[in-house]
Amino acid sequence: MLNYCVATFKTQSTPMRIIIIFFQLLTSLLLTAQNFQLSPQQFGAIPNDGKDDALALQQWIDAVVANKQTTGYLPEGIYDLLSGDRGLYFDGANANFVGDGPERSIIRAGINIEAVARINAGGQNISGIKFDANRKANHGLLMLKGAYGSFHRCAVSNALQDGILLPGAFTYTPNSQEWSARDLKGLPDKKVFNDPLLWEEMSVGGNGVFYCSQQKLVIGGPDHTVNVLGGQLEYSASTQTLIARGNATFQPTAPLPKARLDDLVRIPVLYSSLPLSSAITVPGKAFFTQNDHRIRISNPALYNLGIRSGDQITLTKNGIIKNFTIAKLIFEGTHCWVSLFNPTNEPTMDNADFTISTQQIFCITEIIDDKTVRVVALHTNNLIAKLPISIPPSDYVIMTGDGVREEPGLDNHINIWIGGVFRGNAGSGRSLRGTAGHNIIGGLTDYNGGYALSIGGIARNTVCHNTSVNKFYSESNQCGNILLGRCKAAFINSVHVGTLEAIEHFADGTFSTYVYSGSEINGSGVQLSKATNGVNFGNWNFNISNDEGVPLIDNRGGNKAPVMPIRGRTVEVGVPANGFIDLPLEVGFYNYWVAPEVLNQHKYIPNVTLVGTQAPVSMTGMFNETYGSTGPATSSIKFIARIRNTENYEVRVKAIPTLQFVIY
């Protein structure tokens, strides 16, 4: 086990290798220290009989934690919890529990309880057990004081809310004389402590609840259910609120969970230049040129309407209909360019009408009442994260309950996730908002209603530091792949994603996010809002559009850093026949505490890459370089590039300004 661990994590930092080896040593020592096993059958539990095993299981757990020379062994079978309201308490530190595998050794909720298991003491080592909430329990695992614990090959499924919940700071309720974490019931003391935790080859799926206006939407595995509330939701751009109309609500009848902060809401939207009753009218016309693989739309406002990779666009003219899949939007002054997936040889279509099918995704930031919530739109390019257009009453999906949900808290950090499958959860596969130290290595995350992975605060002003994602595989998640909220220093390497954006970044101008990759992404592109305070994509193998400012991170090895290319906004222009244009260009970057000395010790080389034409167009010179501000804020290099066309007809090109920095 130790040899495997060192070989697998050789790309991690030395401190991280030490932490992982520590977990493995702790597990090994606990296993070798046990002289005998205790099973629930010794306390009266009978698996597979459909009767209550809660008391026998609790006595079994208490006996194991009281005697450190024992291992708690859960033989094959289904053990039912049919009494109590809070589930099983794992109260003793440094105890070891093993089962015959998550498909065989199952603890199942049979009534509405808070969680199948509450981890109230550190150093628990649990492997080979399934915690089945069975659509009865709110959570499978409730992590209150799980520090230095480890979970190996366990399964958590079918919770009404989150499969695994790491609650945040506790608050005191005078009336009940007990401490609680958000809406949780009586806790053993006044402090959450989940630092650090190791999760290895976990299976987390079918957790959470969809609330939707139509029964036709079913996402997830075979155990997933959909609760229909009916009605419709209306979005007000002026107040940034979602208002429930008819019999829609954000607060269903118990025991079903109500919507919470950071829960996601999806609303399907049609934008069209045609006066369709079901669409929001967006004036403009579309121009598609054969073999160009993109569409020009004569309305730049389209850029701020949250249209993403994977959305569908339909062109119509004189009864002719063409359907395309959008790769990304590029803003250019008086119009937008729509890049397309899958090159096509369709004939040219000028002055056509267009209809775009998308879904607006909102994050709940405030619960006003059971009919109204305040939200932010996650995919708008507006600086202050406002969708600039109201949406009339529409169908909706509310996603409450993540596979793993980590609430903000000073002692929720250094969670190490190795492998595993996170599938078919109503919300995101993992929603992590602890202080620091998330390390995600490998695993599959697919068919979740939210994102595959959401990191950092959105509804609340909490910042997540130092996240590492490596060899991450994401496919068919309804909202997207990786959502970065308020983060600092996210290291992302070797990620495989589907057709939606690989990485999406929400920011409100308050916090800075840094992303670095020394490897590659297989899949789609990147969606970045203009509010992005800093994203360094170093060696990524695809282009990034609309990166208003990117950070300059000093990742020096020895005395010199590598040459770091940084891109500015793409500009598309027409170059006259047998002529030239002098095109003003700018590349912005962001300097922060990671490398405070960089601006005073660097050499930069401005350049321009020309794409979009086979004609012999060339850049023949640059001049008038202007260096921007030098403080710890957004800075830029401005220059003018002379672009010459040697053909006897006008040629349109894309000019991508770049800088190469050599940091000494």
Side-chain angles (χ1 to χ4, degrees):
M1 178 67 74
L2 291 180
N3 290 336
Y4 162 80
C5 207
V6 172
T8 302
F9 306 110
K10 64 183 179 180
T11 59
Q12 299 295 317
S13 64
T14 298
M16 186 53 58
R17 289 201 302 272
I18 292 172
I19 291 173
I20 294 171
I21 292 172
F22 166 79
F23 274 117
Q24 301 294 346
L25 280 172
L26 179 63
T27 302
S28 178
L29 289 173
L30 285 170
L31 286 171
T32 56
Q34 274 85 48
N35 296 324
F36 61 92
Q37 295 179 335
L38 287 177
S39 73
Q41 281 84 340
Q42 295 172 255
F43 300 87
I46 302 175
N48 304 318
D49 67 349
K51 296 181 180 180
D52 189 15
D53 298 304
L55 179 59
L57 287 169
Q58 190 62 64
Q59 291 175 342
W60 165 64
I61 293 169
D62 294 343
V64 172
V65 300
N67 187 343
K68 304 305 181 187
Q69 301 304 309
T70 65
T71 295
Y73 169 56
L74 187 69
E76 180 177 350
I78 299 175
Y79 301 80
D80 292 296
L81 304 180
L82 300 175
S83 60
D85 64 349
R86 298 177 185 175
L88 300 174
Y89 283 72
F90 287 74
D91 283 342
N94 303 323
N96 193 69
F97 298 87
V98 298
D100 288 327
E103 67 283 352
R104 295 181 177 181
S105 298
I106 302 169
I107 301 175
R108 182 176 67 184
I111 59 173
N112 181 236
I113 55 179
E114 185 177 66
V116 178
R118 299 161 57 96
I119 308 300
N120 296 336
Q124 304 278 352
N125 292 275
I126 301 176
S127 63
I129 297 174
K130 180 177 181 178
F131 299 90
D132 184 2
N134 193 32
R135 288 317 197 184
K136 304 291 185 181
N138 292 342
H139 310 284
L141 288 175
L142 176 56
M143 306 299 302
L144 301 176
K145 295 177 72 69
Y148 297 99
S150 61
F151 292 80
H152 308 268
R153 292 195 315 108
C154 291
V156 180
S157 63
N158 302 321
L160 289 175
Q161 291 186 351
D162 314 297
I164 302 172
L165 174 63
L166 291 78
F170 291 0
T171 55
Y172 185 63
T173 307
N175 293 337
S176 61
Q177 297 295 302
E178 66 181 18
W179 290 81
S180 63
R182 295 173 64 84
D183 56 350
L184 302 179
K185 299 177 183 178
L187 299 171
D189 61 22
K190 306 171 185 179
K191 184 177 177 61
V192 169
F193 188 40
N194 290 310
D195 168 25
L197 278 166
L198 174 64
W199 308 87
E200 187 172 17
E201 298 300 337
M202 296 291 292
S203 175
V204 182
N207 301 290
V209 175
F210 291 111
Y211 298 116
C212 57
S213 52
Q214 298 186 46
Q215 288 183 321
K216 66 181 182 180
L217 180 66
V218 179
I219 304 170
D223 296 328
H224 210 69
T225 61
V226 175
N227 295 277
V228 180
L229 297 181
Q232 294 183 317
L233 299 182
E234 179 179 350
Y235 173 71
S236 168
S238 60
T239 61
Q240 296 184 79
T241 55
L242 284 173
I243 304 169
R245 302 300 187 189
N247 60 340
T249 177
F250 295 100
Q251 190 168 352
T253 305
L256 295 177
K258 61 184 179 181
R260 305 166 296 173
L261 297 185
D262 287 313
D263 279 349
L264 302 172
V265 183
R266 295 202 315 264
I267 297 180
V269 178
L270 287 178
Y271 296 119
S272 182
S273 60
L274 296 168
L276 304 177
S277 59
S278 58
I280 297 174
T281 302
V282 178
K285 291 293 184 179
F287 301 83
F288 173 75
T289 303
Q290 186 178 23
N291 299 324
D292 202 14
H293 315 316
R294 56 183 178 165
I295 299 168
R296 181 166 60 89
I297 296 180
S298 59
N299 187 339
L302 200 67
Y303 185 71
N304 288 324
L305 298 186
I307 297 166
R308 303 188 301 154
S309 171
D311 289 343
Q312 302 298 307
I313 182 169
T314 300
L315 304 186
T316 58
K317 182 179 180 181
N318 299 329
I320 299 174
I321 300 175
K322 296 179 182 179
N323 297 302
F324 305 99
T325 300
I326 295 173
K328 63 181 177 181
L329 263 65
I330 301 173
F331 172 82
E332 186 191 319
T334 60
H335 56 270
C336 284
W337 285 98
V338 180
S339 296
L340 305 174
F341 277 123
N342 303 325
T344 176
N345 290 320
E346 293 284 346
T348 297
M349 180 183 284
D350 291 335
N351 206 36
D353 286 301
F354 63 89
T355 300
I356 297 175
S357 174
T358 185
Q359 56 179 357
Q360 291 296 339
I361 301 174
F362 300 95
C363 178
I364 297 176
T365 61
E366 180 185 354
I367 307 292
I368 298 175
D369 54 44
D370 63 350
K371 292 284 187 179
T372 309
V373 294
R374 185 161 282 112
V375 294
V376 293
L378 295 181
H379 299 137
T380 176
N381 287 306
N382 195 295
L383 273 170
I384 50 178
K386 291 181 180 178
L387 185 66
I389 189 168
S390 295
I391 300 175
S394 303
D395 292 322
Y396 65 90
V397 182
I398 303 171
M399 297 158 282
T400 183
D402 302 308
V404 179
R405 184 183 182 101
E406 181 190 46
E407 297 277 16
L410 293 177
D411 289 305
N412 278 342
H413 60 289
I414 311 183
N415 270 245
I416 304 168
W417 299 89
I418 304 171
V421 177
F422 302 82
R423 173 176 293 163
N425 300 288
S428 297
R430 278 167 286 188
S431 181
L432 307 177
R433 293 178 175 85
T435 306
H438 302 104
N439 288 269
I440 298 168
I441 305 110
L444 169 64
T445 305
D446 61 359
Y447 297 101
N448 296 284
Y451 294 89
L453 178 63
S454 175
I455 302 173
I458 294 177
R460 287 158 285 184
N461 292 340
T462 55
V463 185
C464 179
H465 299 257
N466 302 325
T467 295
S468 174
V469 181
N470 189 41
K471 297 182 180 178
F472 181 78
Y473 192 101
S474 167
E475 189 70 58
S476 300
N477 299 285
Q478 292 296 305
C479 289
N481 295 291
I482 300 176
L483 175 67
L484 298 177
R486 297 178 174 95
C487 301
K488 286 187 177 179
F491 299 87
I492 300 177
N493 292 279
S494 191
V495 176
H496 178 95
V497 299
T499 57
L500 293 177
E501 276 77 18
I503 295 180
E504 299 170 89
H505 177 248
F506 165 85
D508 61 358
T510 305
F511 298 98
S512 301
T513 296
Y514 293 90
V515 179
Y516 172 73
S517 173
S519 185
E520 66 180 37
I521 280 208
N522 300 304
S524 58
V526 171
Q527 176 73 29
L528 298 175
S529 80
K530 293 181 183 177
T532 303
N533 284 344
V535 179
N536 168 23
F537 283 91
N539 298 324
W540 294 63
N541 67 348
F542 54 81
N543 292 330
I544 304 164
S545 65
N546 186 37
D547 42 339
E548 292 289 311
V550 295
L552 191 58
I553 296 179
D554 187 3
N555 61 339
R556 289 176 292 181
N559 295 323
K560 283 191 176 183
V563 174
M564 301 173 63
I566 297 179
R567 295 180 66 250
R569 175 185 287 184
T570 300
V571 178
E572 184 162 349
V573 295
V575 185
N578 297 310
F580 66 89
I581 61 169
D582 289 332
L583 184 64
L585 298 168
E586 180 176 3
V587 179
F589 57 91
Y590 192 87
N591 174 53
Y592 195 63
W593 59 269
V594 181
E597 76 285 3
V598 164
L599 288 178
N600 296 323
Q601 302 181 46
H602 72 272
K603 177 181 179 182
Y604 58 86
I605 307 169
N607 203 349
V608 176
T609 301
L610 301 177
V611 297
T613 179
Q614 300 299 319
V617 177
S618 60
M619 185 191 68
T620 57
M622 289 183 290
F623 48 90
N624 292 353
E625 293 181 17
T626 304
Y627 183 54
S629 59
T630 59
T634 301
S635 302
S636 64
I637 302 295
K638 299 179 181 179
F639 56 90
I640 295 176
R642 175 162 292 183
I643 301 175
R644 185 176 298 278
N645 178 16
T646 59
E647 290 289 350
N648 58 3
Y649 55 87
E650 182 183 84
V651 175
R652 296 196 66 81
V653 299
K654 290 181 182 178
I656 305 174
T658 61
L659 293 177
Q660 286 192 318
F661 278 80
V662 181
I663 307 170
Y664 294 95

